[in-house]
C-alpha cells in the first residue's frame, strides 16, 4: 500500500473510532455533519487526505480527479479545438442535475457551463421554480469540449465523453435529472425519439428520475410554441422536488 493510501486508511480508522466514542447525535468535522451511527467517511477522508491522482481509473475517481482527467482528455477530436474544457459545476449532492449538449463559444472561453444567452435563459427557468445554480443545482453537458461551429456532437464524441458524465452523475447524486434538448435526451436515455415524444413523463437514468425538456437555445428561437411545454416540464420538476409554486398556472 502506498503512503497516501496508508494515510487514508489510518484516518478512516481514527475517525471511525472517534465517531464511535463520542456520545452525540452528530459531529461536525471539516464543515460536514456526521451521524455517528450512519457515518460514511469517504467524503471527509477525500477532503482531509485527497486520494492520489489515478488518471486511468474513471470508476474510482472523485470529482477532483475526474475533472483533472477531463482537462487532459484527448479521447476524441474535440480536444483539438478547445480553449477550455467545461467540466460542469454546482451543488453536490444536488437536488437537480441539469444536462445540456455541449459548450458553446462563451463556455469554451470561460470553462463554465451555460454562461451564454441560453444559460441566462436557463437561469430564469430555474428561478421560476425557486431554484438557482449552485444552490441545489448542478449543471453539466454531454460533451465537455466545444464542437466546432456549435455543430451537434457526433456519435463517437458522445461515446468518448459518456464515461465521464456517468461517473459525474454517480458523484453528484442528484435527486432528479433534467435533460435539455434532443442530444442530451437521446444519449442518456439511449433512444432515437425526439423531445416532443419524450417530454411530459418521468424517465429513469440508472434509477434516477429524469425529465426531458427543450433546450433553452431552441426555446429562444421558437418561444411562442415551446415556452408553454417547458413550463409544464418545469412544474413536473418542482412537483417531484416538493417545491411549492403557489397558485401560478
Ligand atoms: N448549450 C449547451 O448545451 N451547453 C452549454 O453549456 C451551453 C450552451
Amino acid at each position: 500500500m502506498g503512503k497516501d493510501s496508508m494515510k487514508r486508511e489510518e484516518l478512516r480508522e481514527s475517525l471511525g473510532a472517534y465517531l464511535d466514542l463520542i456520545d452525540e447525535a452528530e459531529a461536525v468535522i471539516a464543515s460536514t455533519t456526521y451521524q455517528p451511527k450512519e457515518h460514511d467517511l469517504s467524503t471527509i477522508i477525500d477532503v482531509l487526505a485527497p486520494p492520489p491522482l489515478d488518471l486511468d481509473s474513471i470508476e474510482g475517481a472523485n470529482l477532483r480527479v475526474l475533472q483533472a482527467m477531463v482537462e487532459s482528455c484527448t479521447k476524441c477530436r474535440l480536444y483539438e479545438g478547445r480553449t477550455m474544457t467545461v467540466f460542469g459545476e454546482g451543488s453536490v449532492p444536488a437536488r437537480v442535475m441539469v444536462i445540456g449538449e455541449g459548450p458553446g463559444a462563451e463556455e469554451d472561453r470561460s470553462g463554465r457551463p451555460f454562461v451564454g444567452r441560453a444559460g441566462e435563459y436557463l437561469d430564469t427557468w430555474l428561478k421560476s421554480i425557486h431554484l438557482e445554480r449552485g444552490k441545489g443545482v448542478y449543471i453539466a453537458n454531454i460533451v465537455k469540449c466545444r464542437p466546432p461551429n456549435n455543430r451537434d456532437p457526433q456519435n463517437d464524441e458522445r461515446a468518448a465523453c459518456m464515461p465521464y458524465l456517468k461517473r459525474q452523475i454517480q458523484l453528484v447524486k442528484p435527486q432528479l435529472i433534467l435533460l435539455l434538448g434532443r442530444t442530451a435526451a437521446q444519449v442518456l436515455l439511449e433512444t432515437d425519439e425526439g423531445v416532443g415524444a419524450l417530454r411530459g413523463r418521468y424517465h429513469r437514468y440508472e434509477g434516477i428520475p429524469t425529465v426531458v425538456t427543450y433546450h433553452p437555445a431552441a426555446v429562444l428561437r421558437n418561444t411562442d410554441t415551446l415556452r408553454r411545454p417547458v413550463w409544464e416540464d418545469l412544474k413536473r420538476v418542482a412537483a417531484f422536488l416538493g417545491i411549492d409554486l403557489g397558485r401560478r398556472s
Side-chain angles (χ1 to χ4, degrees):
M1 195 186 292
K3 219 169 95 210
D4 289 328
S5 307
M6 266 168 64
K7 191 165 141 201
R8 285 166 63 79
E9 272 320 299
E10 281 168 19
L11 197 54
R12 188 182 297 278
E13 274 176 29
S14 325
L15 283 173
Y18 169 68
L19 288 170
D20 285 342
L21 258 180
I22 57 169
D23 188 20
E24 300 283 342
E26 53 184 42
V28 179
I29 307 169
S31 327
T32 305
T33 304
Y34 290 88
Q35 265 89 35
K37 296 279 173 288
E38 299 163 22
H39 50 256
D40 163 13
L41 298 178
S42 36
T43 313
I44 190 162
I45 289 171
D46 284 353
V47 172
L48 297 177
L53 286 186
D54 175 358
L55 292 181
D56 294 326
S57 164
I58 290 185
E59 272 157 36
N62 63 19
L63 280 170
R64 191 179 66 92
V65 173
L66 195 65
Q67 180 159 2
M69 295 169 90
V70 165
E71 283 166 2
S72 61
C73 182
T74 56
K75 285 202 289 178
C76 81
R77 65 188 78 72
L78 294 184
Y79 88 90
E80 293 165 6
R82 75 182 174 220
T83 310
M84 294 188 75
T85 54
V86 180
F87 180 67
E89 62 184 30
S91 307
V92 180
R95 297 177 81 189
V96 188
M97 183 162 178
V98 179
I99 302 178
E101 177 176 306
E106 284 166 76
E107 290 78 17
D108 174 69
R109 263 195 301 277
S110 66
R112 301 185 55 213
F114 278 100
V115 290
R117 191 152 166 257
E120 281 171 18
Y121 192 33
L122 172 63
D123 287 339
T124 69
W125 294 10
L126 295 172
K127 196 163 171 219
S128 74
I129 53 169
H130 307 173
L131 291 171
E132 207 177 313
R133 63 168 81 204
K135 295 203 175 147
V137 178
Y138 190 99
I139 305 182
N141 280 303
I142 295 291
V143 293
K144 313 240 183 265
C145 298
R146 183 189 181 202
N149 305 316
N150 296 342
R151 67 155 167 74
D152 286 354
Q154 293 171 1
N155 284 344
D156 61 328
E157 296 159 356
R158 299 169 188 202
C161 226
M162 195 53 212
Y164 298 129
L165 181 61
K166 184 175 177 192
R167 181 66 184 149
Q168 198 170 18
I169 294 170
Q170 286 168 358
L171 293 162
V172 169
K173 297 187 177 65
Q175 289 170 32
L176 179 135
I177 295 172
L178 177 63
L179 299 175
L180 303 180
R182 182 172 46 104
T183 302
Q186 291 184 342
V187 173
L188 239 75
L189 300 177
E190 297 187 68
T191 174
D192 290 331
E193 290 193 284
V195 175
L198 295 168
R199 60 167 296 278
R201 59 199 153 102
Y202 293 105
H203 302 264
R204 281 192 183 266
Y205 172 77
E206 307 242 320
I208 304 166
T210 300
V211 169
V212 174
T213 197
Y214 294 98
H215 193 286
V219 187
L220 282 170
R221 287 192 299 269
N222 200 350
T223 311
D224 289 350
T225 319
L226 299 183
R227 210 162 59 131
R228 189 83 214 172
V230 168
W231 174 233
E232 297 301 324
D233 299 332
L234 293 172
K235 283 197 289 187
R236 183 174 294 277
V237 171
F240 181 86
L241 296 174
I243 298 171
D244 180 7
L245 297 179
R247 288 173 53 80
R248 289 184 63 174
S249 64

